[in-house]
Amino acid sequence: MTGATARSTMTALRLPLAVWAVTRIVLLLCVFKVVVVPGPDVTSDISVIYQGWYEVLKTGTYPLDDVTWQYPPGAALAVLSPGLLPFLDYPSAFFLLACAADAVVFGLLLHAGRRPGRTLRGAWLWVAGVPLLGPTAYARYDLMVTAVAAAALLAGLRRPGVLGALAAFGALLKVWPALLLAGTPRGRATLRSWSSGAAVGVALLLVFSAWMPGGFAFLTFQRDRGTEVESLGSLVFHVARHFGWEGQVLLNYGSVEFLGPYVPLVSTASMALTAAVFGWLLLWRIRAREFTTTTPADAAFTAVLLFTLTSRVISPQYMIWLVGLAAVCLAYRSSRMRRPAHLVLAATAVTQFEFPVWFSHVVDSDPLGLALLVLRNGLLVWASVAACRVLWFQTVTEPRLRATVPAPSREAAQPTRDKSLLGS
C-alpha cells in the first residue's frame, strides 16, 4: 500500500470511527444513568435478573427454578462474563463488555469493508443501528451473540468450517445463529460447515451437560410462553381490547404477555407461521440454482428476519440481530439487500419509542401504542417480503432466466467478429 493510499484509507475511516465513538459514549451515559431515557429502566434486568442468575451459576447449577431462564446452556458464559472484570460491580462490567462486543462487530465490518468487492456501507449501518435502539442495546447480551454471528458470516466465505463452528457456538448462546447455515453453497462448503457445526455443537453440549446440571430446562420454559405484547400476533388482542375482549396483560415468564380467551389459538397460529417459514426456506434451498458470494449472508438475514417476525415474542433486543446481519449483507458491494436493510433500520428506530419510551401506551393498547406497534411490525413485514423477493430472484429466477436465453452460436457470432476486425 502506497503512502497516498494509506492516507486516503485513514481519512475514509476517521468519520465512521468518530461517529461510533460519540454515539457509544452516549449509550454508556444512558446505561450508567447519567442521561435518563423516559420509560421503564431497561438496565434493571442486568442488576436484578442477570446478576441473580450469575449468583446461581457460580454455585455450579443452572437456574432450574426460575422460569425466566429461557436460554440454551451457552448463555451461562455471557451471564458469567462480567466476572472477568472483578474490580467492577456486575452491571458496570456487563455494560462495558457489551460495548466491547459492539466494537468487535464494528471492527469486523470496517476490516471487511476495505477489501476488494466490499464497502463501508455495512459499518455505517451498524454505527447507526445500535444507538437507534437506545440503552436496550447495552442492557442485554444479544450484542455478544451478534458479534459471534457477524464473525461467522464474514469468515465463512473462505473458511466454511469456521462458519459452522461459530454458528454452533452462537446457537448454544441463543439458538438463532443456527440459521446462519441456511445459505451455505451446495457441495463441499455445505458439507464442511454443517459437519463442523454438528461436531462443535455436540461437543459443546456434552461439555455444558458435564459442567452443570439443568442445561436443557429452558426448553420447558420456552414451550409454556404465551403471546408477548410486542409480537405480530399481539395486534389481534390490542385491537380486540377495544371491542370488549376480556383478557389481561400480565408479566408472565419474564415478559409482558396477553393472557385470556383465544391467546393459545394465536400462539399456535404463530408457531404454524414459523413452520411455514421453515418450509419456504427449505423450498428455496431446493430450488436455488446459483449461490453467489452474498448468498450466505443474504439467506441468513432473510431467515432470521422471518423467524423473528413469526415468533410469539419480538423483544426490542431482537432488532440487534437483524441490524447486525443486515450490516454484514451491506458489507458486500454486490448485495441487493439495501431496501430490507434500511427497513430494518427504520423499524429499529421505531422500536426505541415502542420500548422503553412509550411502553406504557403499548401495554394500555391506546391509539399511540397501537400505532407504534403497527408501524414497527409493518416495517418488519415489508422488510421480510422484500428480503424474500431479493433472495428468490437472485438465486432462483435470475439464473433460470439466463439459462433459457440461447447463447449465440459460433457461426452466428463469426460474421460480427469479422466485420469488427475489418472496420466499417
Side-chain angles (χ1 to χ4, degrees), residues 152-204:
L153 285 174
L154 291 171
L157 194 61
R158 294 186 176 184
R159 301 177 181 87
V162 174
L163 167 60
L166 289 177
F169 177 58
L172 288 175
L173 290 172
K174 209 163 189 181
V175 180
W176 67 265
L179 296 171
L180 301 179
L181 301 177
T184 54
R186 293 195 188 99
R188 182 175 298 178
T190 289
L191 179 62
R192 291 180 63 185
S193 59
W194 290 22
S195 59
S196 68
V200 170
V202 170
L204 288 176

Side-chain angles (χ1 to χ4, degrees), residues 19 38-39 86 107 110 134 172 228 232 265 270 278 308 335 345 420 424:
V19 176
L110 278 181
L172 288 175
E228 192 251 352
L232 184 64
L265 179 62
S270 295
F278 179 81
T308 300
S335 177
L345 196 64
S420 65
S424 58

Side-chain angles (χ1 to χ4, degrees), residues 101-328:
D102 180 2
V104 167
V105 178
F106 180 57
L108 289 170
L109 291 167
L110 278 181
H111 176 71
R114 295 168 57 190
R115 299 177 63 182
R118 310 290 180 88
T119 173
L120 291 177
R121 284 197 299 263
W124 274 113
L125 186 81
W126 181 256
V127 168
V130 174
L132 282 178
L133 191 62
T136 304
Y138 280 10
R140 305 292 186 271
Y141 80 92
D142 296 82
L143 263 170
M144 303 172 186
V145 185
T146 304
V148 174
L153 285 174
L154 291 171
L157 194 61
R158 294 186 176 184
R159 301 177 181 87
V162 174
L163 167 60
L166 289 177
F169 177 58
L172 288 175
L173 290 172
K174 209 163 189 181
V175 180
W176 67 265
L179 296 171
L180 301 179
L181 301 177
T184 54
R186 293 195 188 99
R188 182 175 298 178
T190 289
L191 179 62
R192 291 180 63 185
S193 59
W194 290 22
S195 59
S196 68
V200 170
V202 170
L204 288 176
L205 282 174
L206 292 175
V207 169
F208 286 124
S209 298
W211 180 31
M212 288 189 291
F216 300 97
F218 77 100
L219 295 172
T220 300
F221 299 153
Q222 279 286 356
R223 181 192 64 197
D224 295 336
R225 295 196 73 158
T227 297
E228 192 251 352
V229 295
E230 298 162 277
S231 66
L232 184 64
S234 73
L235 290 172
V236 174
F237 301 111
H238 282 290
V239 174
R241 292 176 82 183
H242 294 276
F243 295 92
W245 180 69
E246 298 179 352
Q248 295 177 295
V249 177
L250 297 173
L251 183 64
N252 188 52
Y253 288 97
S255 64
V256 182
E257 298 180 350
F258 280 113
L259 299 174
Y262 308 110
V263 171
L265 179 62
V266 171
S267 296
T268 301
S270 295
M271 290 187 284
L273 280 175
T274 300
V277 162
F278 179 81
W280 183 87
L281 286 170
L282 182 61
L283 176 64
W284 164 76
R285 186 162 178 91
I286 293 171
R287 296 285 301 277
R289 295 187 174 202
E290 183 176 287
F291 289 77
T292 67
T293 55
T294 67
T295 301
D298 292 347
F301 173 54
T302 303
V304 174
L305 184 54
L306 288 171
F307 276 88
T308 300
L309 179 66
T310 59
S311 173
R312 291 173 293 171
V313 180
I314 305 182
S315 296
Q317 61 267 25
Y318 292 7
M319 301 305 298
I320 288 292
W321 317 343
L322 302 177
V323 169
L325 296 180
V328 173

